[in-house]
Amino acid sequence: MIISDDADFSREVTSRWQTERSVPPFTLMSGDLCHGFDAGAFELAIVGAIAPRAITPLLKALEATGKPVVFVCNDVQTAQVVRDTQPRVLLLRQHEGWLDALVLLSTEALRRTEAVARAIKTEHARAALERQATLGRYMLEMRHSLNNALTSVLGNSELLLIEPGSLSANARSQIDTIRNMALRMHEILQRFSSLEKELSFVERQAEKENNTKSRVASVGL
């Protein structure tokens, strides 16, 4: 997004960017029309040739979005004020070759934003995996206790079922259901044990491969 009261400024920036291999879509706005910004509507804002009275409120509004902002100016005093009041804003003086510097600075700012977004996404994924791993470890640790409880349920249900005539048909049906569900839970716990063995085997194989690669690398040196 380019915000400027000078059409020539916006035209110069867009024309320079047209020479790049990757050209982003541009939204052109004037400073007096900027009252609120949707952070999802742009990835980076370039501000230049703005009326002095509008600079501070405009930059504050842009900074609140959390998106990178590049402010281009040719006035030393204005540059110092922006540097003091808006430290997160990327400041660029209009010197010879400033358009090339603007494209380079903006590109790097976008790359940094993308890298931060990927890092946040990775951190969220890592946190989710840690929660799942904690749950998995707890289930593995508790499987012996669950097996003991299931053994008791299975044993008592089978004892009740082998006594003919001691229970009504409805009661026998309910106990048989309990027994079958207990058997299913036992099978699930057995699968947990198998998974633990499989994961341990995979970890050992990966460790062996890493050790082999390390030895090969050492020999190569």
Side-chain angles (χ1 to χ4, degrees), residues 81-155:
V81 171
V82 171
R83 187 178 290 109
D84 293 339
T85 58
Q86 309 293 329
R88 293 180 56 190
V89 172
L90 302 173
L91 189 63
L92 179 65
R93 295 286 304 279
Q94 278 183 292
H95 52 71
E96 184 179 356
W98 70 272
L99 284 169
D100 294 334
L102 174 63
V103 171
L104 179 61
L105 179 62
S106 300
T107 301
E108 290 303 317
L110 287 173
R111 287 177 180 171
R112 182 180 182 278
T113 300
E114 292 172 357
V116 170
R118 287 195 300 270
I120 292 174
K121 185 177 180 180
T122 301
E123 179 62 24
H124 289 167
R126 184 192 63 80
L129 289 174
E130 283 188 354
R131 290 193 295 270
Q132 294 172 6
T134 300
L135 177 60
R137 286 192 296 269
Y138 175 77
M139 294 179 70
L140 288 174
E141 291 170 359
M142 293 299 296
R143 71 183 186 277
H144 296 299
S145 298
L146 288 172
N147 270 325
N148 292 336
L150 286 173
T151 299
S152 176
V153 172
L154 285 169

Side-chain angles (χ1 to χ4, degrees), residues 47-80:
V47 182
I50 293 290
R53 58 181 173 77
I55 292 175
T56 298
L58 175 60
L59 293 180
K60 284 184 177 179
L62 286 169
E63 192 174 20
T65 65
K67 296 299 180 67
V69 180
V70 180
F71 179 63
V72 182
C73 70
N74 56 7
D75 179 72
V76 176
Q77 184 176 0
T78 302
Q80 187 60 47

Side-chain angles (χ1 to χ4, degrees), residues 2-10 28-31 46-50:
I2 301 175
I3 303 174
S4 178
D5 295 331
D6 185 355
D8 289 337
F9 176 87
S10 300
L28 306 182
M29 301 181 68
S30 61
I46 298 173
V47 182
I50 293 290

